[in-house]
Amino acid sequence: MNDHLELLEQSILQDGTSNSVQQNPGFGERYPVSYLASMLGFSLLAYAWIFMFPLAVIFLTGYIPYDIYQAGSYLDYSFVLLEIVLAGVAAWMTYELWKLPVSYPAGRPLDQEEAPVLRNMIDDLCKKHHVPRIHRIRIIRDYSIELVRTPERGFPFTHTSSLLIGMPLMQSLSARYMMAAIEREIIHLSGVHRRPASMVYFVRQLCIQYQAAWQKNWSVPSLIMRSFFSWYTPLFRLLSQTACRMQQYYADEKVQSFLRDQTLVNMLLTANISKHYLENDFWPHLYNKAYRHKQPPYLPYASLDHNLRAKLDTEKAQAWLNTELTDTSPATNMPSLKQRMDNLSVFHVSLPPPVTESAARFFLGDSFKVITGQLDRVWLKTHEFEWQQKYQQGLQQQQRLRMLIMQTMQSTLANDTAWELIQLGKRYLGDDGMLPMCKQILLNNLTDARIYFDIGRTLLTHADVEGVAALERAMELDDSYTIIACQLITKYYVNTGNSKSAQNFRRRALAYQVNAA
């Protein structure tokens, strides 16, 4: 019986979700050839603007002597003077472009001696896909990986390449998963001169770097170049999102064709689940400690992979995976996980096996503590002021909390005051202090559904049956809480062995979903 109810529930919820987010395909999806042709044409505008100046110098230098020879009036000589001025401006712009220092992407350089195995494996992948050797590897603090081509001069004749690897990503994946992620980035580079989507992908990078380079000073040449890239780059980034998604699909397909196993799929799943944990649990939990601790009790990068192994439990992972697999809306230039799985013809997704040793520890070895220590010092310096602000705010909030607790004992609370008390209690009292406070708040005749829902969820988390009544009251005040409240109560009754009550609340949630649909 439970199995049939679970299948029915999943079917109804998935149908409702997919219908609510389904989007009509855009121009790029419906007419990919025409779209890519138009994007290639639009990308030529950037190159035309860059090379317009040296071409103008060549043209005017060859044409000015002829005009001088032909000049016979004051107007002719004025026109020649204008040409000389224009040639001078074009020559100045050409010189400024030639010596323009396009900065390499920021990050902590990773030397050959610090990760020889990783460096050798990346070189082998470059040979495998017939691309030039990656010039530099840099460790960054973001949860990302990207291969960036940087022009050596202002004119994009020759490029160097930088592989940016986020330390959080490296700590989330195994060595094999990490190499699959790196191979995806190298595949982007392998098609830069052959595939239209790859060309658009790297022109996008080029425009972003040019815009950043010209914003660093206020000289006349920079103002001239900025007048173009200030509108062109944002517009190109917007229009090229579909091309970037096409390129991501292509990279997935190529890696899958080389690996011929579950490595790529498991890498994508692990990366998405770990990202959810870091964004929704790890980082918020650390930043919340600023309200109670004058200094961080632990540093993030040194402890991140341990937290991933110890605190990312199967239940949370499955919940976040389900959320990702029901989201079909594209996130700017990256397809959703659901769309990527569909593109790979993976229709039955299960949790990947847990990572036992992170790629960071495997590849970096003894350098791991050195690099994470450096990243932690940068993080500490960056967040020092913000941390102290939160600590001072925390002292004031704790004083406010003590006053609200006294008020609870002496008089009836208003809705807003009770809500404030709950939020402050979560932050400063912990589980042991929250439970009696929640029960005390329930003695007040409140009319705010979110208060009853929050208290009910807290009580059921600690297997307290009074949470059922609180959630019932929340549903009575606001029926939009019905589905999630019934799910929490169902889970509570399943855990306590009351299957009959669990089925009743599961049916109630399904009935509400059907009626709402």
Side-chain angles (χ1 to χ4, degrees), residues 285 288 292 401 419-431 433-435 437-438 450-451 453-455 457-458:
H285 185 70
N288 279 335
R292 289 174 291 161
L401 175 61
W419 180 251
E420 181 186 5
L421 176 58
I422 291 172
Q423 301 312 308
L424 292 177
K426 285 181 180 178
R427 178 169 289 171
Y428 298 109
L429 297 181
D431 292 344
M434 277 294 293
L435 290 178
M437 190 184 75
C438 287
R450 61 180 179 166
I451 293 176
F453 175 78
D454 209 297
I455 291 176
R457 179 172 55 184
T458 300

Side-chain angles (χ1 to χ4, degrees), residues 85-379:
V85 171
L86 290 176
V89 172
W92 185 24
M93 290 297 302
T94 301
Y95 172 74
E96 291 293 330
L97 268 168
W98 176 254
K99 70 182 185 70
L100 174 69
V102 181
S103 302
Y104 296 136
R108 196 273 190 192
L110 186 65
D111 298 331
Q112 170 82 31
E113 295 76 16
E114 292 177 312
V117 175
L118 178 63
R119 178 79 253 192
N120 292 336
M121 293 179 75
I122 291 175
D123 289 344
D124 291 340
L125 287 175
C126 290
K127 294 176 183 177
K128 173 182 175 181
H129 294 285
H130 308 290
V131 301
R133 187 176 188 266
I134 293 175
H135 298 88
R136 63 194 65 83
I137 302 173
R138 298 205 165 172
I139 303 297
I140 58 177
R141 294 185 292 150
D142 302 328
Y143 193 90
S144 63
I145 180 170
E146 186 179 12
L147 183 58
V148 179
R149 296 178 81 224
T150 304
E152 293 185 344
R153 294 285 182 177
F155 294 104
F157 292 118
T158 58
H159 300 79
T160 63
S161 54
S162 305
L163 180 62
L164 309 180
I165 304 177
M167 176 56 78
L169 180 66
M170 206 173 184
Q171 291 175 286
S172 303
L173 303 179
S174 66
R176 182 167 176 78
Y177 294 170
M178 192 74 241
M179 293 313 301
I182 292 172
E183 187 166 13
R184 286 190 74 262
E185 297 304 312
I186 292 174
I187 284 173
H188 289 315
L189 187 60
S190 68
V192 68
H193 299 301
R194 298 192 303 273
R195 297 191 71 255
S198 297
M199 298 177 194
V200 173
Y201 182 85
F202 283 105
V203 170
R204 175 191 176 102
Q205 281 188 1
L206 181 69
C207 293
I208 293 172
Q209 292 177 86
Y210 272 131
Q211 184 182 22
W214 289 111
Q215 284 179 341
K216 292 181 179 178
N217 62 75
W218 289 90
S219 63
V220 173
S222 70
L223 292 176
I224 293 174
M225 297 302 294
R226 201 182 306 175
S227 66
F228 175 80
F229 284 105
S230 62
W231 67 266
Y232 178 84
T233 301
L235 181 59
F236 192 88
R237 293 179 70 174
L238 178 65
L239 297 177
S240 62
Q241 286 181 1
T242 302
C244 290
R245 292 195 293 270
M246 291 179 179
Q247 183 63 17
Q248 299 298 338
Y249 288 140
Y250 169 77
D252 285 346
E253 293 167 0
K254 290 293 288 183
V255 173
Q256 184 73 341
S257 68
F258 288 122
L259 297 178
R260 300 177 182 272
D261 58 18
Q262 286 292 107
T263 300
L264 176 67
V265 172
N266 288 339
M267 182 274 288
L268 295 175
L269 297 177
T270 302
N272 275 269
I273 292 170
S274 299
K275 184 178 182 182
H276 264 282
Y277 166 74
L278 295 177
E279 290 179 350
N280 296 285
D281 198 320
F282 178 80
W283 290 112
H285 185 70
L286 175 59
Y287 290 133
N288 279 335
K289 288 186 177 296
Y291 294 102
R292 289 174 291 161
H293 300 271
K294 193 170 184 178
Q295 297 295 332
Y298 57 87
L299 295 174
Y301 295 100
S303 60
L304 193 149
D305 62 342
H306 171 73
N307 277 273
L308 278 167
R309 311 295 168 257
K311 297 184 179 180
L312 180 54
D313 56 67
T314 303
E315 186 176 339
K316 281 184 180 179
Q318 187 64 61
W320 284 328
L321 181 58
N322 292 341
T323 301
E324 282 288 310
L325 292 175
T326 54
D327 179 17
T328 60
S329 56
T332 60
N333 59 321
M334 181 67 73
S336 68
L337 180 63
K338 168 67 173 172
Q339 291 166 330
R340 296 174 79 175
M341 292 296 104
D342 290 345
N343 183 63
L344 294 171
S345 299
V346 179
F347 303 112
H348 301 286
V349 178
S350 58
L351 282 177
V355 173
T356 55
E357 182 183 22
S358 70
R361 292 188 181 274
F362 178 83
F363 287 122
L364 299 180
D366 295 336
S367 302
F368 174 79
K369 290 185 178 180
V370 176
I371 297 173
T372 53
Q374 293 170 349
L375 294 177
D376 280 329
R377 284 193 291 274
V378 173
W379 177 87

Side-chain angles (χ1 to χ4, degrees), residues 290-294 387-395:
Y291 294 102
R292 289 174 291 161
H293 300 271
K294 193 170 184 178
W387 191 279
Q388 293 305 315
Q389 277 189 320
K390 286 186 176 182
Y391 178 70
Q392 295 300 321
Q393 183 182 352
L395 295 177

